[in-house]
Amino acid sequence: MHETDMTKALIFTVKDWWESQTERPQITEIHLIVGKFTCVEPVSLKFAFEVQTGNTFLEGVELVIQETPLIAFCHRCQQEYAPQVGLQYGCPECDSPMEDIRSGRELKIDRIEYIFDEANKKAYAPNI
């Protein structure tokens, strides 16, 4: 259930950005990058976001989640491999323990899409 606390942090971060804009844009989508090794369940995160944003400036905003796979690098074999989360983390060739994680721990806002004027022009703010 750490998705609830993550959602609160997401809302505060987006609110800080939103309040810093000279004209408060209408946010339409928030794009997140979530690594498989963060143990965040996208379905739970979307549910928590929907529940916590009701009657706020984010009500109706779509949360778009892009998951990144867990990729590790074995220095002994000099190759990348895809550990199986919860089952097998060591190198499948030499069984060395997982030491160098190349992807899968990401948890960040990729961009916020919004409408910024009465002509409904769309824009986005990257890497908030």
Side-chain angles (χ1 to χ4, degrees):
M1 283 307 293
H2 61 286
E3 286 84 356
T4 300
D5 291 331
M6 290 179 171
T7 302
K8 288 179 185 174
L10 172 65
I11 292 169
F12 286 129
T13 300
V14 173
K15 187 176 181 184
D16 286 346
W17 171 83
W18 185 70
E19 290 178 341
S20 72
Q21 305 303 302
T22 53
E23 293 183 28
R24 306 280 160 75
Q26 179 185 349
I27 297 171
T28 57
E29 294 178 357
I30 299 173
H31 293 255
L32 299 180
I33 295 176
V34 177
K36 287 276 192 187
F37 204 48
T38 60
C39 297
V40 172
E41 288 294 328
V43 172
S44 298
L45 191 59
K46 284 186 174 187
F47 177 75
F49 181 80
E50 186 177 320
V51 169
Q52 293 183 45
T53 58
N55 297 319
T56 72
F57 73 105
L58 292 174
E59 184 170 19
V61 172
E62 183 178 357
L63 188 62
V64 180
I65 299 173
Q66 175 190 344
E67 288 187 277
T68 58
L70 175 58
I71 302 293
F73 184 79
C74 177
H75 291 279
R76 189 176 194 185
C77 299
Q78 292 296 301
Q79 66 179 0
E80 289 185 341
Y81 64 99
Q84 297 174 342
V85 177
L87 297 175
Q88 188 267 329
Y89 294 101
C91 175
E93 295 296 323
C94 70
D95 205 30
S96 294
M98 181 173 69
E99 295 176 344
D100 189 356
I101 298 173
R102 298 284 169 99
S103 79
R105 292 192 289 193
E106 302 85 353
L107 183 58
K108 65 180 187 177
I109 299 171
D110 183 39
R111 67 182 185 275
I112 297 173
E113 293 187 3
Y114 58 93
I115 297 171
F116 65 92
D117 67 8
E118 57 277 344
N120 289 332
K121 292 183 180 176
K122 289 188 174 184
Y124 72 93
N127 303 319
I128 305 296

